[in-house]
Amino acid sequence: MKISYNWLQQFLQVDWEPIKTGELLTDLGLEVEGIETKESIKGSLKGIVVGKVLTCTQHPNADRLKITTVDIGSGEPIQIVCGAPNVDAGQKVPVATVGTTLYDNKGEGFKIKKGKIRGEESFGMICAEDELGLGKGHDGILVLDDDITIGTPGSKVFNIETDYIFEIGLTPNRSDAMSHFGVARDLRAGLIQNDIKLELISPSVSDFHVDERTLRLDVEVENKEFTPRYCGISITDIEVKDSPEWIQNRLRAIGLTPKNNIVDITNYVLHELGQPLHAFDAQKIKGNKILVKTLNQGTKFTTLDEVERELSSEDIMICDGDSNPLCIAGVFGGFKSGVTENTTSIFLESAYFNPVSVRKTAKRHALNTDASFRFERGIDINTTKYALKRAALLIEKYAGGKLASDVSDFYPEKIEDFQVFLSYDNAYRLIGQEIPKDTIKNILASLEIKINSETEGGLGLTIPSYRTDVQREADIIEEILRVYGYNNIEFSHKLNTSISFDSNKETKVVNIIADQLTALGFNETMTNSLTKPKYASLSENINQEANVEMLNPLSNDLKVLRQSLLFSGLESVGYNINRKNNSLKFYEFGKTYHKYGQKYQENKHLTLFVTGNRNKNSWNLINKTSDFFYLKGIVTSLLVRLGINKLKSSPTKLDVFSEGISFGLGKTKLVEFGVVKQSILKEIGIKQEVLFADFNWDSILNVTGNKKIKVINLPKFPAVKRDLSLLLDSKVEFNDVYNLAFKTEKKLLKEVDLFDVYEGDKLPQGKKSYALSFLLQDETKTLADKQIDKIMQKLQQNFEKNLEAVLR
């Protein structure tokens, strides 16, 4: 938010340096993020002086040029070649001396240099109005009053104003400071604390008076909850033209472009007092009536930016007597009802609209205006009528308007000020030191907080309605502290702390897995829990009725809480692929959110995303594309790392996979993984294969229990490895062989590995070949060949009997 220092000084005649004022505002909680110097005319006319044309003769080599000698008060007159038709001897004129930089209407500068024009020397430039940035005229040079002293700087002649603009990072709760008057009010409180007592000057509306009531428009409000207060007045005989220079300078200083006197005055009062206003062309209001209501869903309405929008049945609309929409209340005006150069009478609106309703409407239509910015945060409802009178008087003065009706004021239920009791003991406890009671009272008085009653223990207080963020005792204490000054609170030079030990089981398990995944080349992601509602329709396993919807979504793409981490993760994958980062390994610890009836449920998950090559390209590596078995190996290694063995695999029931399996322990499902369906990838815009694993993290935590790490001695006796090549049915999985082997030999068998698989036309149909290695070891002695052969024979027999295996 931009705040003009010169504008502030209209309300508070402070003469501090801008930097010092900015520091005080920051201490008060209105953080000044930067201070910019602003000139009403760029360059402040530096190098421009008043000169007198002594002689003016025809240029010998050009019909349209003249040679002048000009006295600029620096001694000898200078010669200037001028092409203006109205230049003549005896005139007082603005002269740009050599070295002066002039700026065009785009802010681009050009430097005045000594030169020759058609063979004659020229040592400056006699300027026109537009060349100085004083107007648009370029018919000739600007002729000044004859009584101005030669050599007077142009900045003094034209009253160039230099301003300082504070860029304030306003927090959402400080709606009271969304105007110059509000900032001045806060600044005054800070100055009082620094023993500088200044009067807060508010704009007077004492001259407001209606002589003739020639144009009355009735006002009808349909829903007082949406529109607690609505004021309006009719003004006739206006002339739409440029606003006065001082208003234009105020608006330009804060980055606004002047339009015309009516629009500029409404913008001026908005930034002066924080009250949004809107002017309607009265001739375009049918039925001499204003209706504040909602319209049917899907009603078409064209806004000021000439965009046709579809209205929601929840949008507050300003309509005429025939229910034709004129304006989206608190957000944006209508294209057909706005003020034009032909407007002669207006209806001026000043209202208080429900902040939640305005916020939803603004988000729904993707509009962010100065008005919606303020209505969303909550303006001062008691300023509504006052701001209307202020604007009406300015229109009366600078547009020649006549007040043609009394102020219509719909205000059925007055909003009362808040009542809060402040305990001194609570204040001392939260602040951390005891502040004198008189200081507390003075601070409260400077903040316009009234003291109703006082006891030894505290104060009964009335909070002004414009401080919507101050409703509790803790809020009062915060107000006292920020004005008193955080820097004035003493603190101990000794810091005591204790070393904490995080014994949380979940944190420990998360760190173990995160470390392992990072070592495997994975990167951790954290995606938004808010997602698109349409994603739920991409899987029949996701119940759309279980979506947890946001009451006030930021956008339609962030309307519900996710029921799966798949889609937000795929968005990250797609984002990277679109930027030529095609080989990815992501993991994320996150939650899913579900609504079952009136109950809400959160589930913890760990998800993995793998796509592209397994490793970075290197001259000494033969790169392989990540596939299902690569992901399966990673999933298995994570479970083994947590001590989870004896897994049961089964086909997955999730329809997001084109192929996939799940691992479980008993009846507990731990993880489902596989290849993501092409139809889902297409929805995200991904054209390459993506592998996905979804761990039920709650179940993982439950089954890990409090398993302790068992430390054993290194074996003293050698291990023996034997291989078998088996011909098996295609339906037999390695897991079947693995489990049967350990069931056959529980004591000496340590490892079973599959190092080759063959399926081809050299084998009978429906058959495949497994090459297996078996590691045997006795921790008490060296194994003998006879014992090893006996174990291998037993394994072979069981494979033949239970799996119909044939030794190759």
Side-chain angles (χ1 to χ4, degrees):
M1 183 181 71
K2 295 183 183 295
I3 293 293
S4 158
Y5 197 24
N6 290 349
W7 202 339
L8 273 184
Q9 290 171 323
Q10 289 181 204
F11 309 115
L12 207 62
Q13 296 179 354
V14 58
D15 58 357
W16 275 15
E17 290 293 322
I19 292 178
K20 192 175 180 181
T21 302
E23 290 172 351
L24 179 56
L25 288 173
T26 298
D27 289 343
L28 289 167
L30 303 178
E31 183 180 358
V32 175
E33 297 175 341
I35 302 176
E36 176 190 0
T37 302
K38 197 85 171 182
E39 300 155 333
S40 57
I41 295 178
K42 189 168 183 179
S44 296
L45 299 185
K46 291 176 183 177
I48 307 295
V49 296
V50 176
K52 183 175 182 178
V53 181
L54 301 177
T55 64
C56 181
T57 60
Q58 185 64 44
H59 195 293
N61 301 319
D63 294 338
R64 296 186 179 182
L65 297 178
K66 294 178 181 178
I67 299 173
T68 65
T69 55
V70 184
D71 180 6
I72 61 172
S74 61
E76 289 293 322
I78 60 174
Q79 178 173 297
I80 298 176
V81 177
C82 181
N86 65 328
V87 65
D88 203 356
Q91 294 172 335
K92 295 282 182 72
V93 293
V95 177
T97 56
V98 174
T100 299
T101 300
L102 297 178
Y103 297 89
D104 60 20
N105 56 8
K106 296 181 180 179
E108 297 178 358
F110 63 95
K111 199 170 186 178
I112 303 299
K113 299 177 180 179
K114 172 186 173 182
K116 282 188 177 183
I117 302 176
R118 292 291 183 94
E120 296 293 332
E121 289 186 324
S122 184
F123 296 89
M125 176 178 169
I126 303 175
C127 300
E129 185 181 74
D130 65 331
E131 291 165 336
L132 297 174
L134 297 171
K136 300 177 181 178
H138 195 71
D139 296 335
I141 60 167
L142 181 63
V143 180
L144 305 175
D145 292 340
D146 197 52
D147 57 354
I148 301 175
T149 304
I150 295 171
T152 303
S155 58
K156 292 186 177 180
V157 175
F158 300 105
N159 296 320
I160 304 303
E161 185 178 87
T162 300
D163 200 356
Y164 299 93
I165 308 303
F166 299 111
E167 184 67 46
I168 295 180
L170 192 68
T171 53
N173 63 307
R174 291 304 305 277
S175 60
D176 62 296
M178 293 188 297
S179 66
H180 284 77
F181 185 77
V183 173
R185 184 169 52 201
D186 231 35
L187 180 59
R188 175 177 172 269
L191 290 170
I192 290 175
Q193 186 60 24
N194 284 271
D195 295 325
I196 301 174
K197 296 183 179 180
L198 296 175
E199 179 187 359
L200 184 63
I201 304 168
S202 57
S204 173
V205 294
S206 59
D207 293 336
F208 184 88
H209 181 69
V210 181
D211 292 323
E212 299 180 9
R213 296 164 178 81
T214 57
L215 181 61
R216 174 180 172 80
L217 275 73
D218 295 326
V219 173
E220 182 180 322
V221 177
E222 184 182 80
N223 189 326
K224 66 181 181 181
E225 291 183 5
F226 282 170
T227 312
R229 190 173 192 182
Y230 190 93
C231 300
I233 189 172
S234 301
I235 305 175
T236 59
D237 298 336
I238 66 168
E239 180 186 359
V240 179
K241 56 184 180 181
D242 288 342
S243 55
E245 193 67 26
W246 70 271
I247 288 182
Q248 292 190 40
N249 287 340
R250 288 285 180 262
L251 296 179
R252 287 194 191 101
I254 59 174
L256 297 181
T257 303
K259 302 292 185 185
N260 58 56
N261 49 358
I262 304 302
V263 174
D264 290 353
I265 286 170
T266 59
N267 283 332
Y268 178 83
V269 174
L270 163 67
H271 291 276
E272 179 186 52
L273 302 175
Q275 172 66 52
L277 304 167
H278 191 75
F280 300 92
D281 189 327
Q283 294 179 345
K284 298 175 183 177
I285 302 174
K286 296 180 181 180
N288 283 351
K289 190 173 186 178
I290 290 290
L291 298 175
V292 186
K293 58 184 294 185
T294 54
L295 296 175
N296 293 332
Q297 182 78 27
T299 301
K300 306 289 185 181
F301 178 64
T302 304
T303 47
L304 273 173
D305 55 359
E306 300 185 46
V307 174
E308 186 179 74
R309 304 176 188 275
E310 283 194 9
L311 300 177
S312 164
S313 58
E314 296 180 356
D315 294 335
I316 310 171
M317 297 298 297
I318 310 300
C319 305
D320 62 18
D322 294 343
S323 293
N324 297 314
L326 305 173
C327 172
I328 303 177
V331 180
F332 213 24
F335 178 68
K336 295 180 179 179
S337 63
V339 173
T340 68
E341 58 186 12
N342 300 317
T343 300
T344 57
S345 58
I346 63 170
F347 177 77
L348 188 62
E349 166 197 278
S350 179
Y352 179 97
F353 298 112
N354 182 279
V356 174
S357 177
V358 172
R359 188 182 304 119
K360 286 183 177 181
T361 296
K363 296 298 182 185
R364 192 179 295 122
H365 297 290
L367 291 169
N368 184 20
T369 61
D370 284 337
S372 67
F373 176 83
R374 286 158 176 80
F375 279 124
E376 287 175 12
R377 287 156 177 78
I379 61 171
D380 180 10
I381 196 169
N382 291 322
T383 302
T384 304
K385 189 173 182 179
Y386 168 65
L388 182 70
K389 290 182 177 181
R390 167 69 168 158
L393 288 173
L394 290 173
I395 291 172
E396 189 177 38
K397 183 175 182 179
Y398 295 110
K402 293 181 180 178
L403 306 182
S405 73
D406 292 319
V407 174
S408 299
D409 188 4
F410 174 84
Y411 193 13
E413 296 180 6
K414 186 176 180 181
I415 295 179
E416 300 294 336
D417 294 338
F418 308 115
Q419 306 294 322
V420 178
F421 181 79
L422 171 67
S423 165
Y424 287 128
D425 288 340
N426 286 340
Y428 301 152
R429 178 176 57 82
L430 289 179
I431 291 173
Q433 77 179 48
E434 188 170 325
I435 296 176
K437 293 180 180 180
D438 287 341
T439 301
I440 290 176
K441 293 176 189 177
N442 290 336
I443 290 173
L444 293 173
S446 69
L447 292 170
E448 300 182 358
I449 296 174
K450 297 178 182 178
I451 298 174
N452 300 324
S453 60
E454 181 177 5
T455 66
E456 287 189 11
L459 302 169
L461 306 172
T462 297
I463 315 301
S465 60
Y466 63 81
R467 290 309 304 272
T468 56
D469 61 319
V470 181
Q471 300 186 23
R472 306 169 301 164
E473 183 184 39
D475 299 330
I476 295 289
I477 296 170
E478 183 182 359
E479 289 296 294
I480 294 169
L481 183 54
R482 72 179 181 86
V483 176
Y484 182 74
Y486 289 96
N487 294 332
N488 295 323
I489 301 299
E490 298 176 1
F491 62 93
S492 173
H493 294 286
K494 182 181 179 182
L495 179 64
N496 295 323
T497 186
S498 57
I499 298 174
S500 61
F501 174 72
D502 187 0
S503 59
N504 185 279
K505 169 193 167 184
E506 181 179 353
T507 303
K508 185 178 179 181
V509 175
V510 166
N511 288 338
I512 289 172
I513 296 302
D515 288 345
Q516 180 157 340
L517 286 169
T518 302
L520 290 169
F522 279 76
N523 291 300
E524 184 173 9
T525 63
M526 287 181 281
T527 59
N528 201 333
S529 297
L530 296 169
T531 190
K532 299 177 183 179
K534 70 174 184 179
Y535 284 153
S537 64
L538 299 179
S539 170
E540 293 183 2
N541 297 112
I542 300 177
N543 181 5
Q544 296 188 51
E545 295 181 358
N547 275 337
V548 180
E549 296 188 0
M550 303 301 294
L551 295 176
N552 182 27
L554 294 172
S555 70
N556 287 330
D557 286 346
L558 301 172
K559 197 172 183 179
V560 299
L561 288 168
R562 63 190 177 193
Q563 290 195 62
S564 171
L565 273 69
L566 170 64
F567 304 105
S568 55
L570 287 176
E571 286 178 347
S572 296
V573 171
Y575 182 89
N576 278 271
I577 291 173
N578 290 338
R579 285 153 184 80
K580 307 300 181 183
N581 188 13
N582 298 316
S583 298
L584 305 167
K585 297 178 187 177
F586 290 160
Y587 72 93
E588 178 179 8
F589 291 97
K591 291 182 178 180
T592 58
Y593 306 86
H594 314 267
K595 181 181 179 182
Y596 302 113
Q598 298 301 314
K599 294 183 178 180
Y600 295 89
Q601 182 175 315
E602 295 182 14
N603 298 326
K604 296 175 183 176
H605 291 262
L606 164 64
T607 54
L608 309 181
F609 293 87
V610 179
T611 186
N613 293 332
R614 300 183 185 185
N615 304 298
K616 291 183 179 180
N617 291 330
S618 176
W619 66 272
N620 61 351
L621 279 178
I622 299 174
N623 224 329
K624 293 184 178 180
T625 303
S626 300
D627 56 18
F628 173 82
F629 294 101
Y630 177 66
L631 178 63
K632 181 181 178 183
I634 293 171
V635 170
T636 304
S637 70
L638 296 179
L639 295 173
V640 170
R641 176 65 183 85
L642 295 175
I644 302 174
N645 299 300
K646 300 179 181 179
L647 296 169
K648 179 183 178 183
S649 65
S650 60
T652 181
K653 294 181 180 179
L654 290 182
D655 60 2
V656 298
F657 296 116
S658 58
E659 54 178 316
I661 62 173
S662 68
F663 281 164
L665 196 63
K667 295 183 179 180
T668 303
K669 190 175 292 183
L670 300 179
V671 58
E672 297 185 82
F673 59 95
V675 181
V676 180
K677 269 186 179 178
Q678 283 296 321
S679 59
I680 293 177
L681 296 179
K682 185 178 179 181
E683 186 70 29
I684 308 294
I686 299 173
K687 297 180 181 179
Q688 65 187 56
E689 184 178 81
V690 178
L691 304 160
F692 171 63
D694 186 2
F695 290 81
N696 185 331
W697 198 246
D698 291 308
S699 298
I700 295 288
L701 294 174
N702 288 334
V703 299
T704 52
N706 293 316
K707 293 184 178 180
K708 296 181 180 179
I709 297 175
K710 186 179 180 181
V711 180
I712 59 174
N713 293 324
L714 290 173
K716 297 179 181 180
F717 301 96
V720 177
K721 184 180 284 189
R722 291 286 188 270
D723 297 338
L724 286 179
S725 181
L726 300 176
L727 185 67
L728 299 159
D729 287 340
S730 297
K731 295 180 181 179
V732 176
E733 296 180 357
F734 170 68
N735 200 41
D736 299 326
V737 179
Y738 182 91
N739 291 334
L740 180 58
F742 278 101
K743 187 176 180 181
T744 302
E745 178 53 55
K746 298 178 182 179
K747 184 178 178 182
L748 300 180
L749 183 61
K750 302 300 180 182
E751 293 179 11
V752 179
D753 289 317
L754 175 66
F755 62 87
D756 188 37
V757 178
Y758 175 73
E759 289 181 290
D761 54 8
K762 294 182 179 180
L763 296 178
Q765 188 175 1
K767 296 291 184 178
K768 62 182 176 182
S769 174
Y770 273 1
L772 303 157
S773 67
F774 301 86
L775 189 71
L776 303 168
Q777 187 176 41
D778 192 333
E779 297 173 4
T780 60
K781 61 182 179 180
T782 301
L783 289 171
D785 288 340
K786 189 179 289 186
Q787 190 178 7
I788 296 168
D789 292 341
K790 185 178 180 181
I791 294 172
M792 294 305 299
Q793 187 177 3
K794 188 176 179 182
L795 286 170
Q796 180 182 336
Q797 290 173 352
N798 277 344
F799 291 150
E800 292 172 349
K801 179 180 178 182
N802 294 287
L803 302 177
E804 298 180 358
V806 176
L807 185 66
R808 295 188 70 196

